[in-house]
Amino acid sequence: MSSLTVRIDPHVHSEGSYDADDPVELILEQAAEIGLDAVVITDHDVIHESIRAAQLAPMYGLVGIPGVEVSTADGHLLALGIEELPPRQRPLDETAQWVRDHGGVAIVPHPFQRSRHGVRRKRLARYHDISGGDVFDAIETYNSWIFTGYKNRRARRFARKRDYPGVAGSDAHKVGYVGRAYTEIEIPDVSRASLTAAHILDAIRDGSTAVQGRRTPIPTSTKHYVGAAGRKSAYYAKQGALVSAILAKKGAIKSGYYAKVGALKSGYLAKRGALAGAQLLSRFSSR
C-alpha cells in the first residue's frame, strides 16, 4: 500500500476564543470544502468547542482531532489530541510534558513573535538544551497570520538547526482564512477510509510533515473568500430561520397556555359568581 498524503490545518480559532466569532460547524464546512482532511480548533485556554468540533468532524468527512492553544508562563503552546485543558501559566517545558503524558502532541506556535505571546528565542533554546531536544514534538515554522515572513524564517531556521519537525497553520480567526496555511503529512500503509487521529499525531511526532504556506494567486484567493462568505451568510440565514421558528413555536405555546389559563379563570369566576348569586337568593327567600 502506498503512502497517504493528508492535509491538516492544526491552528484555527472558533467562537470559543475571546477574539474569534465563527461557529465550529461553519469552520468544519469550510475545511471540507477546500479539501482539508482535518482541522484542529485551538481556542485560547478553553477546549469545549474543540471537543465538540472533533465529535462533529466525521459528519463533514474530516478526521476529528481536539486541541487547545494554552497560555504557559513563557508563551503560547498548541496541544493537539487531548480532551482535557492543560494547566495554565506553568513553565513551557512542564506544560509540554503534561500534553505528551496525556497522549497529545506539543507544538510551539508563532515562536519569537512577542506581540502574539510567542516564546522568546533564548527561552526556547534553553528548554531545548536542558531537555536534550526532547521537550516539544514540533514547531510552527509557517503561520499565515503575520505581516512579514521574517519570524517564519527565523522559526524555520531554529527548527531545522535543532531537528524539530515543522508544521504550518493558518491561525485563522475568521472562517475565510481557514487553510490559508496547512501541513501536509505522509502516512504509509493507511487508506483514507481507515485514517484516524492517532495516525496523524504519530506522523507529526515522526516528522513526516511538509509546510504549505505559499501566497495564493489572487483569482484563487478571491474564489476562496467569496465561497467562505457565501457559506457564512447561508449558515446564519439558516440559524436565523431556526431561531424564528423556535420563537414562533414558543409564542404559540405561550399564547395557548395563557388562553387556557384565561378560560379556566373565567370559568372559575363564573362559577363563583353563580354560587354567590345562589347564596344571596337563598338569603332573601328565607326572610
Side-chain angles (χ1 to χ4, degrees):
M1 185 182 295
S2 60
S3 64
L4 177 68
T5 300
V6 176
R7 296 172 178 84
I8 172 176
D9 188 344
H11 191 175
V12 174
H13 295 272
S14 78
E15 62 185 354
S17 288
Y18 66 88
D19 54 357
D21 56 11
D22 286 322
V24 296
E25 291 88 348
L26 191 58
I27 294 169
L28 292 169
E29 184 178 347
Q30 173 72 359
E33 180 68 22
I34 63 176
L36 294 178
D37 297 290
V39 60
V40 186
I41 303 299
T42 51
D43 290 327
H44 294 291
D45 297 316
V46 293
I47 200 170
H48 59 284
E49 286 300 294
S50 184
I51 291 174
R52 192 167 71 86
Q55 294 169 343
L56 292 173
M59 297 173 57
Y60 296 82
L62 303 171
V63 178
I65 305 175
V68 65
E69 185 169 12
V70 62
S71 300
T72 77
D74 302 288
H76 287 173
L77 180 73
L78 293 181
L80 274 55
I82 60 169
E83 296 187 353
E84 181 182 350
L85 186 65
R88 298 177 58 203
Q89 300 302 332
R90 303 298 301 164
L92 182 66
D93 60 341
E94 181 181 316
T95 309
Q97 189 57 55
W98 186 98
V99 172
R100 299 173 85 184
D101 288 344
H102 286 73
V105 168
I107 301 173
V108 180
H110 47 69
F112 322 140
Q113 298 185 38
R114 294 294 310 285
S115 62
R116 299 174 59 201
H117 307 287
V119 182
R120 293 185 180 185
R121 188 184 185 284
K122 288 184 178 180
R123 291 191 182 182
L124 201 57
R126 179 166 59 86
Y127 283 125
H128 169 84
D129 294 339
I130 290 173
S131 68
D134 188 28
V135 61
F136 316 114
D137 293 298
I139 291 177
E140 188 179 64
T141 57
Y142 195 99
N143 180 293
S144 68
W145 197 35
I146 54 173
F147 294 107
T148 70
Y150 173 64
K151 295 297 175 64
N152 279 339
R153 291 193 293 272
R154 286 189 67 195
R156 186 165 61 247
R157 287 195 297 267
F158 184 95
R160 185 185 300 124
K161 183 177 179 180
R162 292 162 178 81
D163 201 29
Y164 283 109
V167 301
S170 67
D171 200 357
H173 286 65
K174 293 184 180 298
V175 67
Y177 291 90
V178 172
R180 188 168 181 173
Y182 62 91
T183 305
E184 277 191 352
I185 304 171
E186 292 295 324
I187 305 177
D189 303 323
V190 175
S191 67
R192 195 166 298 278
S194 61
L195 180 66
T196 66
H199 289 130
I200 295 174
L201 297 176
D202 284 341
I204 294 175
R205 295 186 188 100
D206 293 340
S208 304
T209 60
V211 169
Q212 298 296 338
R214 294 184 294 273
R215 186 180 299 277
T216 305
I218 290 177
T220 303
S221 178
T222 301
K223 182 178 179 181
H224 176 78
Y225 297 129
V226 168
R231 280 185 284 280
K232 186 168 184 174
S233 297
Y235 174 85
Y236 283 110
K238 183 178 179 181
Q239 291 298 108
L242 287 172
V243 170
S244 297
I246 290 170
L247 290 176
K249 185 177 180 181
K250 284 185 176 179
I253 291 172
K254 199 170 185 179
S255 297
Y257 169 79
Y258 284 118
K260 184 177 180 180
V261 170
L264 289 172
K265 195 168 184 178
S266 297
Y268 171 74
L269 292 175
K271 186 176 180 180
R272 286 191 62 183
L275 288 172
Q279 288 174 352
L280 286 172
L281 184 60
S282 176
R283 287 177 185 175
F284 282 114
S285 298
S286 62
R287 291 179 178 177

